[in-house]
Amino acid sequence: MTTQATNRINLTDWIDNAGFGGYQTLVVLLCFLVTMFDGFDTQAIAFTGPAVAASYGVDSTGITPIVTAGVIGMALGALMFGPLGDRFGRRRAVIWATVAFAGFSLATAWASSVNELIIFRFLTGIGMGGATPNVLALASEYSPDKKRGIVMLLSTLGLPVGAIVGAQIASVLLADGWGAGYSGDFVGWLPDLFLIETWRLIFVIGGVGPLLFVLVLWLVLPESPHYLAETGRHEQVRHRLRRLKGGALLPVGTEFLLPEKAQGAGIRALFSRGLRRNTFAIWGVYFFNWVAWFAIVLWLPSVLVAAGLAEAEAANGTKIINGAALLFVVPLAWYIPRLPVRGVIVALLIGGVVAMAVLAGAGQQWTLIYVMIGLTGLLVGGPQICLNYLAVSLYPTAVRATGIGW
């Protein structure tokens, strides 16, 4: 019997030198579609907020617990699914998270009380929050370093795209008072099961779409090569890399080394000597940035309605803030690897404070309001792109999804 000499390769360096091809494009596309459904469901309550309030006979403050429950669920989902991704794989965690937010979004459509809405939005939030850290980890681990900024952006670009798609659907469904009517008024052929208040159809769409997409993920979405190498499955890594440029030349028996090592694994490793300072710094900026971001994107339609706009027109605010984010953050992500990332974050946050202060005092000057909403998309949303890039760059494979999630 003959033995074959082991060929050891630095996996990170190999991927950095392999370039970017069709297989990585497929991974990014699948990640984009996951976050698109995630973005749709995240902001579904923003689109439907005024109609939900009218349906249950409460004012805008009456839906506050519903909105808050979703955000709390997202926070817990990120905390839960980050470690799950590091332990069981990014692929499984993405699929589990998608099933969770899709299933509970669909259940939301048949909630019979505000309390049920609170419960279902909380559970939906767990899935929504759990998908993103694993999508970011998976996409980044297939990407060469020089492309990582744009890859991470494209993978999470689905969040604003899903919000824009949802806002457009909502502006049609909720026009002319349909939000207070029934789905049969809008789509006459619907079966009896779906003859519900029209605003509930948004949650049906947000549930059925990703549930169907889960089958595609199960069949096509690959596991991270870094996770497979971390868990000693070198032959599976070789099979994955054969799809990449130059991968066909890797011989049987190749072992893949990861140069970055965490001091332990799991949540405790985030506070090891080499990671503690960065962990607290990223947490602090993320916390305050997300307070600002969720405050505006989840409440914007309701605030615009309170200021005098019709429900259908108020949905345009969601399209503007997410559309501006799409327009501006693409070049930002492209140049991130060549920019002083910390300085960019500080500059954007200062601009965001100014933009939101102007927005707060704009009254009913609608042109100024829409301009400031657009700038807020860049100045408040932009730091999240930079923070994601920093997190992926700073945390080693063993705790990457945990680090991003927490």
Side-chain angles (χ1 to χ4, degrees):
M1 183 176 69
T2 60
T3 58
Q4 196 168 17
T6 300
N7 181 35
R8 291 184 172 86
I9 291 177
N10 182 311
L11 177 59
T12 301
D13 288 346
W14 191 92
I15 291 178
D16 284 346
N17 295 323
F20 194 86
Y23 192 64
Q24 288 119 312
T25 301
L26 173 64
V27 173
V28 172
L29 175 61
L30 292 172
C31 290
F32 167 85
L33 291 172
V34 170
T35 59
M36 184 186 74
F37 288 118
D38 191 335
F40 184 104
D41 284 345
T42 297
Q43 297 195 26
I45 193 63
F47 316 141
T48 59
V52 170
S55 177
Y56 289 103
V58 298
D59 58 21
S60 59
T61 60
I63 65 169
T64 300
I66 304 170
V67 175
T68 305
V71 177
I72 293 173
M74 291 177 68
L76 291 178
L79 300 182
M80 293 166 53
F81 276 85
L84 286 174
D86 285 331
R87 182 171 181 179
F88 298 106
R90 307 355 177 168
R91 178 180 183 274
R92 287 182 180 177
V94 169
I95 292 173
W96 293 342
T98 305
V99 169
F101 74 70
F104 289 115
S105 176
L106 189 59
T108 303
W110 281 274
S112 60
S113 67
V114 170
N115 287 337
E116 285 189 12
L117 274 174
I118 292 171
I119 293 170
F120 288 138
R121 280 304 291 177
F122 171 76
L123 295 172
T124 304
I126 288 177
M128 294 186 299
T132 302
N134 288 285
V135 160
L136 285 170
L138 178 60
S140 70
E141 289 168 354
Y142 270 100
S143 169
D145 181 65
K146 61 185 177 182
K147 301 288 187 185
R148 191 164 295 145
I150 194 68
V151 162
M152 290 175 58
L153 170 70
L154 293 174
S155 299
T156 56
L157 209 59
L159 292 169
V161 170
I164 291 170
V165 171
Q168 182 60 39
I169 292 173
S171 66
V172 173
L173 290 179
L174 302 180
D176 300 328
W178 278 319
Y182 284 82
S183 54
D185 301 332
F186 183 70
V187 184
W189 51 264
L190 283 175
D192 290 345
L193 178 64
F194 293 99
L195 292 179
I196 53 179
E197 292 169 288
T198 307
W199 63 264
R200 297 176 187 266
L201 280 180
I202 294 172
F203 292 100
V204 173
I205 295 168
V208 172
L211 279 176
L212 294 175
F213 184 60
V214 164
L215 179 60
V216 177
L217 293 176
W218 183 262
L219 294 174
V220 182
L221 185 68
E223 185 53 88
S224 157
H226 285 67
Y227 170 78
L228 293 172
E230 180 74 26
T231 52
R233 287 174 273 183
H234 299 286
E235 189 59 19
Q236 292 186 41
V237 177
R238 191 179 71 87
H239 280 293
R240 298 294 186 283
L241 297 188
R242 288 182 65 185
R243 306 280 189 96
L244 276 60
K245 183 179 178 181
L249 302 177
L250 292 169
V252 174
T254 299
E255 289 186 2
F256 299 90
L257 308 178
L258 297 171
E260 17 87 321
K261 286 291 181 183
Q263 297 180 24
I267 299 164
R268 182 176 299 179
L270 304 182
F271 304 99
S272 62
R273 179 174 297 180
L275 295 176
R276 185 187 306 124
R277 179 175 177 270
N278 288 324
T279 292
F280 282 121
I282 290 175
W283 281 17
V285 181
Y286 250 125
F287 176 80
F288 289 106
N289 185 224
W290 278 52
V291 166
W293 181 250
F294 280 116
I296 193 164
V297 298
L298 293 179
W299 284 104
L300 186 59
S302 295
V303 170
L304 292 176
V305 168
L309 285 181
E311 289 179 15
E313 293 176 4
N316 290 328
T318 299
K319 287 186 264 186
I320 291 170
I321 193 170
N322 286 282
L326 283 174
L327 179 64
F328 292 126
V329 300
V330 171
L332 173 63
W334 180 263
Y335 287 106
I336 274 181
R338 286 160 277 183
L339 294 173
V341 181
R342 290 169 176 80
V344 172
I345 291 173
V346 171
L348 289 171
L349 291 176
I350 291 173
V353 171
V354 174
M356 294 187 78
V358 173
L359 185 59
Q364 290 188 327
Q365 301 177 64
W366 300 115
T367 301
L368 177 62
I369 286 173
Y370 286 138
V371 170
M372 288 300 106
I373 288 173
L375 284 176
T376 300
L378 166 65
L379 298 169
V380 181
Q384 293 174 33
I385 301 300
C386 301
L387 287 165
N388 289 340
Y389 179 81
L390 275 181
V392 165
S393 302
L394 291 171
Y395 290 115
T397 299
V399 293
R400 184 163 290 140
T402 297
I404 297 169
W406 276 71

